[in-house]
Amino acid sequence: MKRFENIFRTLRLAFLGLVVFFSTPLSAQPAAPADSIEIGLITCSPHEEVYSLYGHSALRYRNLRTGEDVVFNYGIFNFKKPHFVLRFVFGLTDYELGVAPTQPFCDYYRKWGSQVTEQVLNLTSEEKQRVVEALAENLRPENRVYRYNYFYDNCSTRPRDIIERCISGTVDYAERTGDRPTYRQLVHDHTAGHPWARFGNDMLLGVKADMKATMRQQEFLPEYLMADFDQATIVSAEGRRPLVSHKRTLVEPGVQIVEQEFPLTPMQCAVVLLAVSCLIAFMEWRRKRTFRLWDALLMLLQGLSGTIIFVMFFSQHPTTSTNLLIFLLNPLPLFFLPSVLRRRPTRWWGVLAVGIALFFIGAIWQDYAEGMEILALCLLLRILSHRYNDK
């Protein structure tokens, strides 16, 4: 937590020191020759902390004549705000634009072993002026906060949109070859070494995350935006020119320390759960009596995790609002739990059977989190056990 606090404090102080300059109308600032100003897109490679698994983008302003050198960062957030986690779940997270000197910004990523790359943009004097004016406007207190959306409006898409708005003409992106990935596949590519982070994402992402992402939509990931900028050209009345004039590495990739996670993967945990379920089902068959405490444990697991899935239907995150996992994980078990514990007649097992059937049908459209099919088999065993033992 202290690491986040130090980062935020550094960026906040830098912002306060620079906002006066950048909030001043540019017409009142001394004009600088076009070749003394550089505007660059900075891309930071991922490191092993969960919040940085997808990398980061920012814009760099560098005045070779005066020595000013700062990074405009759209990834600043205040995790100390009241109800931060709850607001994040409901898609109400506010991020803001901050400014920091380039060197401390790079030093932070150097410490984590991330590579920092800059693409210096091939802009005219007027285009650079418009970019600086747009950033100054964004820095105003009434403008710097924005409603963050992981896939559609984040630290990568904001710099891209600024650049596109400020050029004289349009940006022509070269088409990519190969199949278009889904949002879920793009997330998987960046969580390959973090199975529990991947599991958590897959639990919350609904059927919309399994739609093919267009080339532009894929640019929510910094590395995709950097690759597209490399091949892009600016088309204007004067002709066609490359978007990127040259590229340089600000921080070389270093050694990244991978911390040990929970020793079992979600799939291994699911297999253990299935093995225990089979063992209990065998014991129940021998004794002709079901173990209601085991039912209670599974129903609590279903109901509590299902409550989270249900709540996400009301989130403003567009890819969580239709999650077919709701057929398997939902709050209903919590309502039937008292009847099951008291061995009273209940319709729960019939309701569960319908939910499991719909869950497997939903697999046609949605790629479920790892191990969910095995959990469904465990619950199906409970239905069969009650069918043959509750007589």
Side-chain angles (χ1 to χ4, degrees):
M1 297 290 283
K2 284 187 176 296
R3 180 168 61 249
F4 282 106
E5 292 178 15
N6 291 335
I7 297 168
F8 187 77
R9 188 180 298 112
T10 299
L11 293 172
R12 180 68 76 177
L13 290 173
F15 166 75
L16 292 174
L18 291 164
V19 70
V20 175
F21 173 80
F22 286 105
S23 296
T24 304
L26 292 182
S27 59
Q29 297 177 14
D35 57 0
S36 70
I37 299 293
E38 288 183 350
I39 304 292
L41 176 70
I42 287 183
T43 304
C44 309
S45 66
H47 58 71
E48 288 302 308
E49 289 295 301
V50 173
Y51 63 84
S52 187
L53 291 178
Y54 310 98
H56 187 55
S57 294
L59 285 173
R60 183 186 187 187
Y61 169 88
R62 188 183 183 200
N63 190 322
L64 302 177
R65 184 172 60 86
T66 65
E68 289 171 284
D69 190 1
V70 293
V71 172
F72 289 82
N73 181 3
Y74 281 94
I76 305 301
F77 64 93
N78 184 1
F79 62 90
K80 285 188 172 183
K81 279 189 174 181
H83 314 298
F84 178 82
V85 174
L86 190 62
R87 290 176 60 83
F88 183 84
V89 167
F90 281 100
L92 302 175
T93 310
D94 289 330
Y95 276 46
E96 64 182 85
L97 173 63
V99 183
T102 299
Q103 192 57 50
F105 179 90
C106 291
D107 289 343
Y108 168 77
Y109 284 95
R110 182 179 291 107
K111 181 183 69 172
W112 287 101
S114 294
Q115 180 173 337
V116 179
T117 305
E118 180 186 13
Q119 294 163 294
V120 179
L121 302 179
N122 186 23
L123 306 179
T124 65
S125 177
E126 292 78 11
E127 289 168 342
K128 293 175 185 178
Q129 182 80 355
R130 285 198 290 268
V131 170
V132 176
E133 288 176 347
L135 291 172
E137 182 65 22
N138 275 189
L139 269 176
R140 294 184 180 278
E142 65 272 21
N143 298 331
R144 67 173 182 260
V145 176
Y146 71 100
R147 182 56 48 84
Y148 174 85
N149 184 290
Y150 174 62
F151 287 129
Y152 302 130
D153 194 357
N154 66 5
C155 68
S156 181
T157 63
R158 287 253 159 177
R160 176 200 65 192
D161 295 345
I162 285 278
I163 298 302
E164 290 181 347
R165 287 199 303 267
C166 293
I167 62 170
S168 300
T170 58
V171 179
D172 184 18
Y173 295 99
E175 289 295 326
R176 295 200 204 107
T177 59
D179 294 334
R180 285 166 47 191
T182 65
Y183 282 113
R184 195 184 304 272
Q185 289 169 338
L186 292 169
V187 171
H188 282 185
D189 289 343
H190 290 75
T191 54
H194 298 266
W196 285 100
R198 172 186 289 192
F199 176 78
N201 288 332
D202 283 340
M203 286 282 289
L204 299 180
L205 293 175
V207 68
K208 293 180 181 179
D210 293 297
M211 299 172 61
K212 300 287 186 180
T214 65
M215 178 176 164
R216 185 173 183 82
Q217 289 170 336
Q218 295 169 38
E219 291 173 353
F220 79 93
L221 290 170
E223 66 184 64
Y224 281 79
L225 180 64
M226 179 174 68
D228 289 346
F229 267 38
D230 274 339
Q231 305 300 320
T233 56
I234 298 175
V235 181
S236 65
E238 289 72 29
R240 182 183 291 266
R241 67 184 189 274
L243 175 59
V244 176
S245 64
H246 59 282
K247 191 174 181 179
R248 56 192 171 210
T249 300
L250 302 182
V251 177
E252 296 289 344
V255 177
Q256 296 195 8
I257 299 175
V258 180
E259 296 182 0
Q260 185 65 36
E261 296 187 350
F262 187 71
L264 297 180
T265 66
M267 180 60 75
Q268 290 169 337
C269 289
V271 171
V272 171
L273 182 64
L274 180 60
V276 173
S277 296
C278 290
L279 177 61
I280 290 177
F282 176 74
M283 295 171 62
E284 290 175 332
W285 174 75
R286 292 287 301 271
R287 299 184 182 185
K288 303 302 179 183
R289 184 178 177 85
T290 54
F291 296 165
R292 297 306 171 104
L293 290 180
W294 181 243
D295 288 327
L297 178 62
L298 291 179
M299 292 176 75
L300 279 174
L301 177 66
Q302 269 188 283
L304 295 178
S305 57
T307 299
I308 298 175
I309 302 298
F310 176 74
V311 166
M312 294 302 293
F313 271 72
F314 303 96
S315 172
Q316 290 190 14
H317 292 296
T319 51
T320 65
S321 58
T322 308
N323 190 343
L324 302 183
L325 193 57
I326 195 73
F327 292 128
L328 187 70
L329 301 179
N330 54 69
L332 286 179
L334 301 178
F335 296 97
F336 287 97
L337 183 56
S339 297
V340 172
L341 285 175
R342 293 185 176 93
R343 296 182 181 275
R344 293 177 178 174
T346 176
R347 296 180 180 178
W348 166 241
W349 306 112
V351 171
L352 180 58
V354 173
I356 291 174
L358 293 174
F359 165 79
F360 281 110
I361 294 173
I364 298 173
W365 299 281
Q366 181 172 327
D367 187 8
Y368 295 126
E370 186 178 72
M372 286 297 102
E373 291 85 356
I374 293 179
L375 175 60
L377 292 178
C378 294
L379 297 174
L380 184 58
L381 272 177
R382 300 313 303 150
I383 296 173
L384 296 175
S385 184
H386 279 272
R387 179 181 177 85
Y388 291 103
N389 295 313
D390 289 349
K391 294 181 179 178

